[in-house]
């Protein structure tokens, strides 16, 4: 046989070669071509675990859960945290990383598996699942176990929880803006001037205008008595003491309202009355007015809450106001 790199030979009877190494093959009968000076390596996607292999299929195609590079003597297992669901993988990069919420503790496996109840994997490529910590629960989302934080207004001190029902609601009269809370210490009683009705509140609500609440941890507000003033968020019933041209806004932390100048476009009669929008035909172009100005003759205003009047259209007549 000529020692050349690329020849074609025909063997009518079986040829005898030196034994090929593992991961190699060489035909012994029939027509074949190639480098006849030595054995050929098994191609990628196949493996050769014997020394007498005669075809490029070698010992067979790479099995599930493994990959076979060129010249592989044995299939190489995909590492833990990955899988290979197809035959004939050729590179380590072909191994599929386990998605978030799944795991694979063993190498050479065809698929990843979902984390058991009460556990999860936060990252991809995990070989193990973590115990679901307090402050949340673990549930199946799109086939994978995922940890969810308890929503605001709730908490969970337990581990390995499997549903949102494990999150305990903050009681009446309290609220919590924290997500993922582990204790009821985040459920804070509502301050005076606010309330929270029902369980599981993210925030307390201010008492509406005309109501007040002097207690903390309240579930409702009390109606303001006749002759008293209770702005939004009031913690006390207050005397209506604002001067004309001013009005009382929301209370400060001390529960006592401050008086503010009446805004433009409105009038304020004083006492406990809120700002009153100027009616059509009147305006307030400055703050602190107790009464709105009437539009002068030759001008008009069809809108309420106006800050000025418009000149009367040509050919029209506009009386004052």
């Amino acid at each position: 046989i000529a020692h050349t790199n690329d020849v074609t030979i025909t063997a009518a009877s079986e040829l005898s070669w030196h034994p090929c190494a593992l991961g190699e093959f060489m035909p012994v009968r029939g027509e074949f071509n190639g480098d006849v000076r030595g054995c050929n390596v098994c191609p990628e996607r196949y493996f050769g675990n014997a020394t007498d292999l005669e075809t490029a299929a070698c010992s067979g195609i790479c099995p599930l859960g493994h990959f076979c590079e060129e010249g592989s003597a044995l299939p190489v297992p995909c590492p833990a945290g990955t899988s290979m669901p197809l035959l004939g993988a050729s590179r380590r990069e072909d191994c599929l990383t386990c998605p978030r919420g799944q795991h694979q503790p063993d190498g050479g496996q065809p698929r990843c598996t979902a984390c058991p109840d009460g556990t999860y994997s936060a990252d991809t490529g995990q070989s193990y699942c973590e115990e679901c910590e307090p402050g949340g629960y673990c549930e199946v989302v799109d086939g994978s176990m995922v940890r969810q934080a308890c929503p605001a207004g709730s908490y969970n001190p337990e581990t390995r929880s499997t549903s949102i029902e494990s999150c305990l609601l903050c009681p009446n009269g309290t609220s919590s803006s924290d997500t993922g809370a582990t204790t009821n210490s985040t459920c804070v009683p509502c301050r005076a001037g606010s309330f929270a009705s029902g369980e599981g509140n993210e925030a307390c609500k201010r008492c509406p205008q005309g109501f007040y609440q002097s207690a903390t941890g309240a579930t409702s507000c009390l109606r303001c008595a006749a002759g008293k003033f209770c702005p939004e968020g009031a913690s006390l019933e207050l005397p209506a003491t604002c001067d004309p041209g001013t009005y009382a806004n929301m209370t400060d932390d001390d529960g006592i309202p401050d008086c503010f100048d009446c805004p433009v476009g409105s009038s304020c009669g004083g006492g406990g009355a809120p700002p009153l929008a100027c009616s059509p035909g009147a305006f307030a172009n400055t703050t602190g007015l107790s009464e709105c100005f009437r539009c002068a003759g030759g001008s008009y205003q069809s809108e309420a809450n106006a800050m000025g009047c418009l000149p009367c259209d040509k050919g029209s007549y506009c009386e004052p106001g």
Side-chain angles (χ1 to χ4, degrees), residues 278-283 292-303 308-310 312 317-321:
C278 294
S279 60
F283 69 97
C292 297
F293 299 118
R294 296 177 64 195
C295 289
S299 65
Y300 75 100
Q301 178 53 258
S302 60
E303 303 290 336
C309 298
L310 304 173
C312 199
Y317 172 70
C318 298
E319 293 182 351

Side-chain angles (χ1 to χ4, degrees), residues 126-199:
Q126 294 283 19
S127 61
Y128 62 93
C129 296
E130 303 176 55
E131 186 176 69
C132 204
E133 302 99 338
Y137 58 96
C138 294
E139 65 176 0
V140 176
V141 177
D142 296 331
S144 299
M145 190 68 72
V146 178
R147 184 182 185 275
Q148 311 279 21
C150 287
S154 66
Y155 63 97
N156 181 16
E158 304 296 332
T159 59
R160 301 183 72 89
S161 298
T162 58
S163 71
I164 194 172
E165 283 74 21
S166 303
C167 299
L168 306 177
L169 299 179
C170 290
N172 292 338
T174 69
S175 69
S176 172
S177 60
D178 295 344
T179 58
T182 59
T183 71
N184 62 1
S185 63
T186 61
C187 301
V188 180
C190 296
R191 63 183 288 271
S194 65
F195 71 102
S197 60
E199 299 178 320

Side-chain angles (χ1 to χ4, degrees), residues 80-314:
T82 67
S83 67
M84 173 40 64
L86 302 175
L87 296 171
S90 61
R91 301 177 303 159
R92 163 65 180 84
E93 291 76 11
D94 292 337
C95 299
L96 304 179
T97 300
C98 291
R100 177 172 168 259
Q102 297 187 18
H103 75 301
Q104 180 49 258
D106 303 315
Q109 300 302 308
R111 64 186 58 84
C112 300
T113 57
C115 290
D117 289 349
T119 67
Y120 74 106
S121 60
D123 299 317
T124 60
Q126 294 283 19
S127 61
Y128 62 93
C129 296
E130 303 176 55
E131 186 176 69
C132 204
E133 302 99 338
Y137 58 96
C138 294
E139 65 176 0
V140 176
V141 177
D142 296 331
S144 299
M145 190 68 72
V146 178
R147 184 182 185 275
Q148 311 279 21
C150 287
S154 66
Y155 63 97
N156 181 16
E158 304 296 332
T159 59
R160 301 183 72 89
S161 298
T162 58
S163 71
I164 194 172
E165 283 74 21
S166 303
C167 299
L168 306 177
L169 299 179
C170 290
N172 292 338
T174 69
S175 69
S176 172
S177 60
D178 295 344
T179 58
T182 59
T183 71
N184 62 1
S185 63
T186 61
C187 301
V188 180
C190 296
R191 63 183 288 271
S194 65
F195 71 102
S197 60
E199 299 178 320
N201 289 286
E202 180 178 346
C204 297
K205 297 179 181 178
R206 285 178 173 269
C207 291
Q209 184 172 343
F211 292 81
Y212 76 101
Q213 180 53 258
S214 58
T216 59
T219 59
S220 63
C221 297
L222 305 174
R223 183 174 293 278
C224 204
K228 299 292 184 179
F229 173 60
C230 296
E232 181 182 355
S235 60
L236 298 170
E237 290 183 295
L238 304 165
T241 58
C242 287
D243 295 330
T246 65
Y247 71 103
N249 200 358
M250 291 183 291
T251 59
D252 297 327
D253 290 339
D254 61 6
I256 299 175
D258 295 323
C259 295
F260 295 88
D261 286 341
C262 200
V264 293
S266 302
S267 64
C268 298
L276 179 65
C278 294
S279 60
F283 69 97
N285 60 353
T286 185
T287 60
L289 295 181
S290 60
E291 294 183 1
C292 297
F293 299 118
R294 296 177 64 195
C295 289
S299 65
Y300 75 100
Q301 178 53 258
S302 60
E303 303 290 336
N305 199 216
M307 294 182 289
C309 298
L310 304 173
C312 199
D313 295 334
K314 291 182 179 181

